[in-house]
């Protein structure tokens, strides 16, 4: 079992390494994608600077905490798109019948597919989060917690995408549903949770679990709380399990195709 | 010992029906209609170790669906499959160590990487230790003559070179059974011949059982000793290549260049295929008239040149497709 996990991780990293090698063929595009994504994120901070010049506190967050929230949001987004990029286009892979080459290999099908490509600009998002962490206040504790939460957060985002995209096994093309879900997870990720009340807040900790992937990490890094830490971890494990169950149940309904295709 | 055993295998697909135009599209949203297509119906056969089997049939006959069920890609509706004693729908991982697949229409290699890097990646997928991968790559490089392009990115290779690499990638883990789905599609005759030689060599060297689908009669004739013909989802023939030729080769084609014109119309057992005055092409049904009688009718003194041949296998197969439809 342990060897199997070790071998799977080896293949995942090899796959990511080869994708990076492909992107590095065009060095200028690679570097500019990363830098421009960081600049794009940085421009968003300006509106918060303006808002904080009017008030000292926004939904219970100080400016530094908003930077931390932005860091978490950016890095979880980047982590999910860098390591699990294909989780976000799984619907079209299923609909076009392109799972065949993964099914005939002795590795976990879902993991092999979602890690088979990377988004270079996501690397910019991932790094940008750490810059925000530096502005918030870098310490060993904050660095370790931040890294832990971007892993769990990135996995939560990817797992939700896998669940929504896997609906394609039953309902055909569900990429719009999946895209909406992904947008909701991103749109609410950079606002302080204090500004949401009632049903909206309840939704953000259940159906659209941005609260679990983004707000809880900010609270735990600012003021460590074991219960919140465990909630984040438990939800992450549950969503991984649910994503696998949904994908593998749907896989029994998979119908392949004879379309000409190539792996690029 | 049978390495593949398929019993009463069936698979259906539900296909959405749509009427013409925008109105049809709207109707199909409100009240969708479906049609069930029986792609594979009660198919049974077995394959022995080391055999090279041709699994052939026209487009839509159910070849690819059957192969995909044998390789874990699709789940069967009914029936059972055992490949190397394993059930593809339950033992996917274990089975994938035992089989190799090459789908001529689908590329499994990373196009920006060299064949060498691709083989290393496939080695990692099959948990082969580094040293063993290197050794295997060296061995296959020699057997498949890859030296001149093993370090060229796959996207810069010719189609023939790419197919050779696809086959090598599928052999890295020494599979006992190799499924080749139209491996020579789109290749020129010289490269096709080359690939056939390599497949034969591989079968001889490693005793690999080969399950081949192809529309190319040359592949079937030159590689396979047994043929399974499938049409409309059912097996219409499962016989040796020798028997297939023997039973269906009761017709001969005679092409002759004559000194004087001959009239063979209304002769029993003779069908005129081409008559260009002094050049004649006829088909002789040997159950009704012997070849020697046909030659007598032509008059040997009147013949400048003659060629007697079997009916092409391609015609035989398309005849079987039509007659057993």
């Amino acid at each position: 079992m342990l060897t199997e996990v070790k071998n799977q991780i080896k293949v995942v990293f090899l796959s990511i390494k080869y994708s990076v090698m492909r992107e590095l063929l065009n060095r200028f595009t690679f570097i500019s994608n990363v830098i421009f994504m960081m600049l794009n994120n940085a421009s968003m901070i300006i509106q918060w600077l303006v808002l904080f010049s009017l008030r000292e506190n926004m939904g219970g967050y100080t400016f530094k905490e908003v930077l931390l929230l932005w860091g978490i949001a950016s890095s979880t987004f980047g982590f999910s798109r860098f390591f699990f990029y294909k989780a976000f286009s799984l619907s079209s892979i299923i609909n076009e019948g392109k799972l065949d080459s993964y099914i005939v290999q002795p590795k976990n099908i879902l993991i092999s597919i979602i890690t088979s490509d990377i988004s270079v600009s996501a690397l910019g998002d991932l790094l940008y989060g750490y810059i925000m962490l530096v502005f918030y206040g870098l310490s060993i504790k904050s660095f370790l917690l931040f890294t832990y939460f971007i892993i769990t957060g990135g996995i939560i985002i990817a797992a939700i995408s896998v669940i929504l995209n896997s609906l394609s096994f039953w309902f055909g093309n569900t990429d719009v549903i999946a895209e909406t879900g992904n947008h909701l997870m991103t749109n609410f990720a950079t606002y302080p949770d204090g500004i949401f009340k009632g049903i909206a807040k309840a939704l953000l900790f259940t159906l659209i679990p941005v609260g679990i992937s983004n707000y809880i990490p900010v609270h735990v890094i600012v003021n460590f709380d074991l219960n919140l830490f465990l909630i984040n971890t438990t939800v992450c494990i549950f969503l991984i399990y649910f994503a696998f169950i949904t994908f593998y149940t749907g896989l029994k309904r998979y119908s392949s195709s004879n379309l000409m295709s190539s792996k690029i | 010992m049978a390495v593949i055993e398929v019993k009463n295998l069936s698979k259906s697909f539900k296909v959405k029906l749509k009427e013409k135009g925008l109105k049809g599209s709207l109707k199909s949203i409100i009240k969708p209609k479906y049609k069930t297509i029986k792609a594979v119906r009660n198919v049974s056969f077995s394959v022995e170790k080391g055999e090279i089997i041709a699994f052939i049939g026209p487009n839509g006959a159910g070849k690819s669906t059957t192969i995909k069920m044998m390789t874990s890609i699709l789940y069967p509706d009914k029936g059972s499959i055992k490949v190397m004693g394993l059930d593809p729908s339950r033992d996917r991982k274990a089975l994938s160590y035992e089989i190799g697949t090459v789908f001529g229409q689908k590329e499994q290699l990373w196009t920006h990487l060299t064949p060498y890097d691709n083989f290393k990646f496939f080695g990692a997928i099959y948990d082969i230790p580094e040293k063993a991968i290197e050794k295997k790559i060296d061995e296959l490089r020699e057997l498949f003559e890859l030296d001149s392009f093993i370090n060229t990115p796959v996207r810069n290779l010719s189609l023939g070179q790419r197919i050779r690499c696809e086959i090598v990638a599928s052999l890295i883990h020494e599979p006992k059974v190799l499924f080749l789905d139209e491996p020579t599609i789109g290749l020129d005759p010289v490269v096709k011949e080359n690939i056939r030689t390599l497949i034969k060599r591989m079968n001889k060297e490693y005793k690999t059982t080969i399950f081949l689908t192809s529309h190319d009669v040359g592949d079937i004739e030159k590689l396979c000793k047994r043929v399974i013909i499938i049409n409309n989802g059912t097996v219409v023939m499962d016989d040796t290549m020798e028997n297939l030729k023997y039973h269906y080769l009761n017709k001969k084609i005679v092409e002759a260049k004559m000194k004087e014109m001959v009239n063979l119309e209304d002769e029993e057992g003779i069908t005129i295929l081409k008559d260009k005055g002094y050049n004649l092409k006829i088909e002789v049904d040997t159950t009704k008239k012997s070849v020697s009688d046909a030659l007598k009718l032509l008059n040997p003194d009147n013949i400048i040149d003659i060629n007697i041949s079997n009916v092409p296998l391609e015609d035989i197969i398309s005849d079987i497709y039509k007659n057993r439809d």
Side-chain angles (χ1 to χ4, degrees), chain A residues 4 18 103 105 107 256-257, chain B residues 68 92 106 112 125 127:
Chain A
E4 209 175 302
Y18 286 153
I103 296 174
Q105 291 169 0
K107 288 285 167 278
S256 173
S257 84
Chain B
K68 281 171 184 173
R92 182 189 68 84
K106 290 188 181 187
H112 67 287
I125 285 175
D127 313 324

Side-chain angles (χ1 to χ4, degrees), chain A residues 4 7 11 14-15 18-19 21-22 25 97 100 102-107 109 116 252 254-264, chain B residues 13 64 68 71-75 92-93 96-97 101 105-113 117 120-122 124-127 130 155:
Chain A
E4 209 175 302
N7 288 337
V11 171
L14 211 50
S15 179
Y18 286 153
S19 297
M21 277 163 66
R22 180 194 60 211
L25 287 174
D100 299 12
Y102 301 100
I103 296 174
V104 294
Q105 291 169 0
K107 288 285 167 278
I109 303 167
S116 64
K252 291 182 181 166
Y254 172 63
S255 54
S256 173
S257 84
N258 285 327
L259 289 173
M260 302 285 265
S261 67
S262 64
K263 194 171 179 182
I264 48 169
Chain B
F13 292 107
S64 293
K68 281 171 184 173
T71 51
S72 313
I73 293 171
L74 296 175
Y75 284 75
R92 182 189 68 84
K93 273 192 188 174
S96 54
Y97 287 103
T101 51
Q105 300 175 64
K106 290 188 181 187
E107 212 162 87
Q108 300 191 69
L109 304 172
W110 295 71
T111 49
H112 67 287
L113 296 179
D117 282 337
K120 294 266 282 186
F121 181 63
F122 274 81
I125 285 175
Y126 289 98
D127 313 324
E130 280 292 315
R155 62 160 180 258

Side-chain angles (χ1 to χ4, degrees), chain A residues 91 94-95 162-174 177 242-255, chain B residues 14 16 34:
Chain A
S91 173
I94 294 167
N95 279 315
V162 167
I163 294 164
L164 295 175
N165 276 285
S166 295
L167 296 177
S168 284
F169 285 120
W170 290 271
F171 309 112
N173 210 344
T174 57
I177 299 173
F242 195 49
F244 274 100
I245 291 285
T246 315
F247 178 81
Y248 277 96
T249 309
L251 191 62
K252 291 182 181 166
R253 304 171 59 92
Y254 172 63
S255 54
Chain B
K14 217 166 111 182
K16 201 172 179 181
Y34 295 93

Side-chain angles (χ1 to χ4, degrees), chain B residues 22-54:
Chain B
L22 181 66
K23 202 176 150 193
S25 299
L26 291 171
K27 249 187 176 177
S28 77
I29 290 176
I30 298 159
K31 201 179 173 189
K33 281 182 190 166
Y34 295 93
K35 182 183 161 192
T36 304
I37 293 176
K38 288 181 178 171
V40 174
R41 291 184 278 191
N42 264 326
V43 164
S44 300
F45 59 83
S46 69
V47 179
E48 297 298 313
K49 192 183 172 200
E51 272 193 287
I52 307 185
I53 293 274

Side-chain angles (χ1 to χ4, degrees), chain B residues 5-11 39-45 55 61-62 66 69-70 78-81 228-236:
Chain B
E5 263 192 297
V6 173
K7 279 183 194 157
N8 307 320
L9 191 67
S10 297
K11 174 82 182 170
V40 174
R41 291 184 278 191
N42 264 326
V43 164
S44 300
F45 59 83
F55 190 65
T66 308
M69 286 191 277
M70 288 194 281
K78 268 188 219 159
S80 72
I81 309 172
I228 298 174
I229 300 178
I230 184 169
N231 198 12
N232 286 329
T234 52
V235 172
V236 292

Side-chain angles (χ1 to χ4, degrees), chain B residues 49-324:
Chain B
K49 192 183 172 200
E51 272 193 287
I52 307 185
I53 293 274
F55 190 65
I56 59 172
N59 285 332
K63 303 183 298 288
S64 293
T65 306
T66 308
I67 280 208
K68 281 171 184 173
M69 286 191 277
M70 288 194 281
T71 51
S72 313
I73 293 171
L74 296 175
Y75 284 75
D77 293 342
K78 268 188 219 159
S80 72
I81 309 172
K82 290 275 180 216
V83 180
M84 299 297 298
L86 298 164
D87 178 347
S89 44
R90 276 187 303 162
D91 312 312
R92 182 189 68 84
K93 273 192 188 174
L95 179 67
S96 54
Y97 287 103
E98 305 289 343
I99 63 167
T101 51
V102 175
F103 297 105
Q105 300 175 64
K106 290 188 181 187
E107 212 162 87
Q108 300 191 69
L109 304 172
W110 295 71
T111 49
H112 67 287
L113 296 179
T114 63
Y116 178 81
D117 282 337
N118 267 295
F119 302 151
K120 294 266 282 186
F121 181 63
F122 274 81
I125 285 175
Y126 289 98
D127 313 324
I128 307 168
E130 280 292 315
K131 273 190 181 172
I133 299 178
E134 293 287 347
K135 204 177 150 204
K136 193 74 204 167
I137 293 174
D138 271 348
E139 188 185 318
L140 290 167
R141 169 157 69 179
E142 209 173 298
L143 184 70
F144 281 75
E145 296 155 6
L146 308 179
D147 271 325
S148 58
F149 54 87
I150 196 160
N151 290 315
T152 309
V154 171
R155 62 160 180 258
N156 297 334
L157 300 182
S158 70
L159 188 58
Q161 290 171 330
R162 185 180 70 71
I163 293 286
R164 258 198 269 177
C165 292
E166 289 275 353
I167 296 176
V168 168
S170 70
L171 292 175
I172 285 284
H173 60 293
E174 300 180 354
K176 312 275 188 309
V177 185
L178 187 63
F179 292 92
L180 299 170
D181 195 359
E182 300 194 30
T184 58
I185 195 167
L187 301 177
D188 69 50
V190 179
V191 180
K192 268 184 191 174
E193 199 49 49
N194 194 353
I195 298 283
R196 284 173 198 146
T197 311
L198 293 172
I199 292 173
K200 258 191 191 168
R201 205 185 290 172
M202 178 179 70
N203 169 258
K204 205 176 155 194
E205 296 261 328
Y206 304 119
K207 304 276 175 286
T208 315
T209 307
I210 293 166
F211 197 89
L212 168 92
T213 78
S214 180
H215 283 292
D216 192 308
V217 176
D219 287 348
I220 301 155
E221 205 169 13
K222 288 177 182 165
L223 287 172
C224 307
K225 288 201 173 125
R226 192 175 140 208
V227 184
I228 298 174
I229 300 178
I230 184 169
N231 198 12
N232 286 329
T234 52
V235 172
V236 292
M237 176 178 272
D238 181 352
D239 213 337
T240 61
M241 184 61 90
E242 238 170 57
N243 277 349
L244 177 75
K245 282 185 174 173
Y246 181 78
H247 289 296
Y248 288 87
L249 292 185
N250 44 24
K251 284 176 183 163
K252 296 280 174 189
I253 305 288
V254 178
E255 286 173 276
K257 197 173 177 185
M258 315 294 294
K259 286 180 192 163
E260 288 169 21
M261 282 193 270
V262 185
N263 185 8
L264 294 177
E265 268 175 43
D266 305 324
E267 280 291 340
E268 205 202 2
I270 291 182
T271 315
I272 299 169
L273 301 175
K274 214 186 271 177
D275 186 358
K276 285 187 178 174
Y278 298 101
N279 291 315
L280 193 66
K281 187 177 180 183
I282 57 172
E283 186 185 87
V284 182
D285 185 344
T286 53
T287 57
K288 290 176 184 160
K289 195 178 281 306
S290 69
V291 177
S292 104
D293 286 344
L295 292 180
K296 277 176 198 158
L297 287 170
L298 290 173
N299 181 7
D301 290 337
N302 194 19
I303 300 170
I304 299 169
D305 191 11
I306 192 159
N307 181 32
I308 303 170
S309 58
N310 288 324
V311 177
L313 185 61
E314 202 155 6
D315 295 353
I316 298 173
I317 290 169
S318 59
D319 233 32
I320 295 169
Y321 288 167
K322 279 181 213 155
N323 294 339
R324 306 207 182 181

Side-chain angles (χ1 to χ4, degrees), chain A residues 197-209:
Chain A
K197 307 273 180 240
I199 295 174
K201 190 153 192 170
L203 281 174
L204 293 177
F205 281 87
T206 50
L207 274 181
I208 315 160

